[in-house]
């Protein structure tokens, strides 16, 4: 699929650095799927991004294929959307280098994700971790994307992308489309079930804090039953009730119910009933994804044919932007 009609372009990506989480799904991937009919969608597995943190080679290979099959299983239709692997398309690393030279040290120093990750990996604060936002900016800008569906934690990187693009355009004319983040109203920041003050994350040390897309139903139920709540024993959305608020957010995101509807549904009921209902709703949402994943992961040849086709189209589209950028800067073509 090439961008020949007037539809707006959507770009987003995910790091294949472990199994996909319920947070990834509700914050981003669910929107990727929903946007496929209205937009020209281009999605990537951002494998170049994952090596900012040390990866074990065999696990990395497995994670990339697993993530590719998982995202397809969520409903990415490779006939409608382009879903490629970032490292297969060399324009990404090239534009990242160029954009590094148009991104300020001070801007990168302010990125909260850099501060968090360097605190977490104090023994490996590499330059890639620091310049990661310019690689991400390049990913988006190569495709002249209008909208970037992401969770709230990526908002700061999108803002920086806009700043870099605006700066570049100011110097060389209208080279880049200025993209906008597309952040869901519900589910933009799913929190850990064990520590509702911190984001649900693949790297959560407490296994019960994070629900994975491919967790079997009994594991999902167990995680929700153990979720941290409070002593108020009343299902209502209020300040200081972070655990319950998070469960209400997840339940609302999955069922489409508002906080008021959820409060009414569970009036007079205890947290036990509520947690069971949230767990069951998530199990039902994820069941078809897991089933589809089981089929897809068996067919490596099919997965390979999907990403090879997408890699080629992505290279063609992104090469046009990269050529324009290089010409404007003054490289001899
Ligand atoms: P990554 O791989 O950490 O996460 C992928 C997507 O999932 C969202 N997300 C969440 N949403 C809600 N609640 C959570 N707990 C949660 N955890 C993660 C993220 O916001 C993201 O949308 N740098 C990006 C990958 C990337 C990218 C890009 C994204 C590379 N290039 C270009 C957009 C455009 C990342 O590390 O996401």
């Amino acid at each position: 699929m090439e961008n020949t009609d007037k539809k707006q372009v959507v770009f987003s990506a995910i790091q294949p650095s472990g199994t996909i989480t319920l947070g990834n799904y509700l914050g981003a991937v669910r929107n990727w799927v929903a946007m496929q009919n209205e937009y020209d969608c281009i999605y990537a597995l951002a494998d170049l991004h994952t090596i900012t943190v040390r990866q074990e080679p065999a696990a990395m290979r497995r994670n990339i294929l697993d993530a590719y099959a998982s995202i397809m299983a969520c409903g990415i239709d490779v006939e409608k959307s382009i879903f490629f692997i970032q490292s297969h398309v060399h324009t990404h690393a090239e534009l990242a280098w160029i954009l590094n030279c148009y991104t300020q040290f001070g801007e990168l120093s302010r990125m909260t994700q850099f501060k968090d990750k360097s605190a977490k990996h104090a023994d490996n604060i590499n330059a890639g971790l620091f310049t990661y936002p310019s690689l991400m900016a390049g990913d988006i800008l190569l495709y002249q994307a209008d909208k970037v569906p992401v969770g709230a934690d990526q908002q700061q990187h999108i803002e920086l992308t806009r700043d870099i693009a605006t700066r570049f355009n100011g110097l060389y004319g209208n080279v880049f489309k200025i993209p906008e983040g597309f952040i869901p109203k519900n589910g933009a920041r799913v929190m850990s079930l064990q520590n509702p003050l911190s984001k649900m994350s693949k790297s959560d040390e407490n296994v019960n804090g994070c629900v994975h897309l491919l967790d079997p139903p009994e594991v999902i139920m167990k995680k929700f039953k153990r979720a941290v709540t409070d002593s108020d024993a009343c299902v209502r959305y209020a300040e200081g009730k972070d655990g319950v608020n998070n469960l209400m957010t997840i339940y609302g995101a999955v069922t489409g119910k508002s906080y008021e509807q959820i409060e009414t549904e569970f009036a007079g009921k205890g947290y036990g009933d509520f947690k069971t209902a949230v767990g069951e709703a998530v199990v039902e949402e994820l069941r078809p994804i897991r089933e589809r994943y089981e089929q897809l992961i068996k067919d490596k040849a099919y997965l390979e044919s999907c990403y090879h086709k997408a890699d080629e189209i992505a290279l063609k589209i992104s090469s046009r932007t990269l050529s324009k950028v290089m010409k404007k800067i003054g490289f001899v073509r």
Side-chain angles (χ1 to χ4, degrees):
M1 183 198 72
E2 269 208 62
N3 180 32
T4 46
D5 54 21
K6 291 250 170 6
K7 282 184 189 172
Q8 285 201 328
V9 175
V10 161
F11 180 89
S12 199
I14 185 166
Q15 292 199 48
S17 53
T19 56
I20 312 290
T21 71
L22 182 65
N24 295 138
Y25 176 70
L26 295 178
V29 180
R30 209 164 64 138
N31 278 329
W32 298 12
V33 175
M35 292 172 104
Q36 290 181 112
N37 288 326
E38 212 182 315
Y39 299 91
D40 276 341
C41 296
I42 307 174
Y43 301 124
L45 278 191
D47 55 347
L48 292 173
H49 279 86
T50 64
I51 63 164
T52 53
V53 173
R54 205 65 74 224
Q55 304 288 330
E56 199 275 306
M60 178 161 162
R61 268 177 226 117
R62 214 176 31 246
N63 285 341
I64 291 172
L65 267 192
D66 264 4
Y68 196 86
S70 304
I71 301 289
M72 267 180 83
C74 290
I76 296 301
D77 180 348
V78 292
E79 298 300 322
K80 282 189 200 151
S81 304
I82 298 163
F83 180 34
F84 70 98
I85 299 182
Q86 183 191 33
S87 66
H88 296 185
V89 182
H90 59 79
T91 45
H92 289 253
E94 289 170 39
L95 185 61
W97 167 252
I98 293 175
L99 295 184
N100 270 336
C101 304
Y102 295 83
T103 308
Q104 299 303 303
F105 182 88
E107 289 176 311
L108 292 171
S109 313
R110 285 193 286 278
M111 295 295 113
T112 47
Q113 202 164 75
F114 170 69
K115 292 185 211 164
D116 291 350
K117 284 204 176 174
S118 40
K120 220 167 170 181
H121 303 277
D123 56 335
N124 183 22
I125 307 177
N126 59 75
L129 195 63
F130 187 65
T131 61
Y132 155 123
S134 12
L135 176 59
M136 177 163 160
D139 296 340
I140 299 168
L141 298 175
L142 277 172
Y143 300 93
Q144 307 289 352
D146 296 277
K147 290 206 163 70
V148 187
V150 285
D153 63 330
Q154 294 300 325
Q155 170 96 41
Q156 200 185 24
H157 293 157
I158 308 274
E159 288 304 324
L160 179 59
T161 301
R162 291 167 57 88
D163 291 345
I164 298 170
T166 305
R167 178 175 308 138
F168 196 93
N169 286 354
L171 289 166
Y172 302 108
N174 271 344
V175 178
F176 295 126
K177 174 85 65 67
I178 309 295
E180 271 176 32
F182 184 93
I183 295 175
K185 281 202 191 78
N186 211 350
R189 197 167 169 78
V190 177
M191 309 308 277
S192 160
L193 300 184
Q194 287 298 311
N195 175 10
L197 293 175
S198 96
K199 189 184 78 167
M200 182 180 281
S201 151
K202 292 164 194 159
S203 55
D204 200 328
E205 272 153 25
N206 188 334
V207 286
N208 290 318
C210 179
V211 174
H212 299 275
L213 218 55
L214 304 175
D215 277 345
E218 60 281 11
V219 172
I220 297 177
M221 291 307 294
K222 195 182 78 190
K223 288 179 178 174
F224 277 104
K225 283 185 180 156
R226 290 189 182 168
V228 166
T229 47
D230 52 54
S231 54
D232 180 36
C234 176
V235 178
R236 62 191 177 92
Y237 197 95
E239 217 183 305
K241 288 173 66 71
D242 303 297
V244 171
N245 294 349
N246 187 38
L247 292 174
M248 288 179 76
T249 300
I250 294 172
Y251 191 60
V254 172
T255 61
K257 291 176 186 169
S258 66
Y259 292 142
E260 293 74 32
Q261 286 170 320
I262 299 171
E263 285 171 6
T264 309
E265 186 178 345
F266 294 96
K269 293 188 185 157
Y271 286 154
D273 289 342
F274 177 50
K275 288 179 181 181
T276 303
V278 183
E280 282 170 355
V282 170
V283 164
E284 287 321 310
E285 178 81 11
L286 300 186
R287 190 189 301 281
I289 297 176
R290 206 160 72 94
E291 287 170 0
R292 176 105 182 97
Y293 164 85
E294 299 293 352
Q295 291 169 352
L296 285 166
I297 200 65
K298 284 189 207 136
D299 197 348
K300 303 271 189 313
Y302 173 65
L303 293 176
E304 199 177 310
S305 73
C306 292
Y307 60 73
H308 279 167
K309 202 166 117 200
D311 297 343
E312 260 176 51
I313 306 172
L315 179 62
K316 210 164 132 199
I317 301 174
S318 59
S319 295
R320 286 202 287 265
T321 303
L322 183 66
S323 287
K324 196 168 170 192
V325 165
M326 294 185 77
K327 199 167 144 202
K328 291 278 188 184
I329 292 174
F331 287 102
V332 173
R333 302 303 287 158

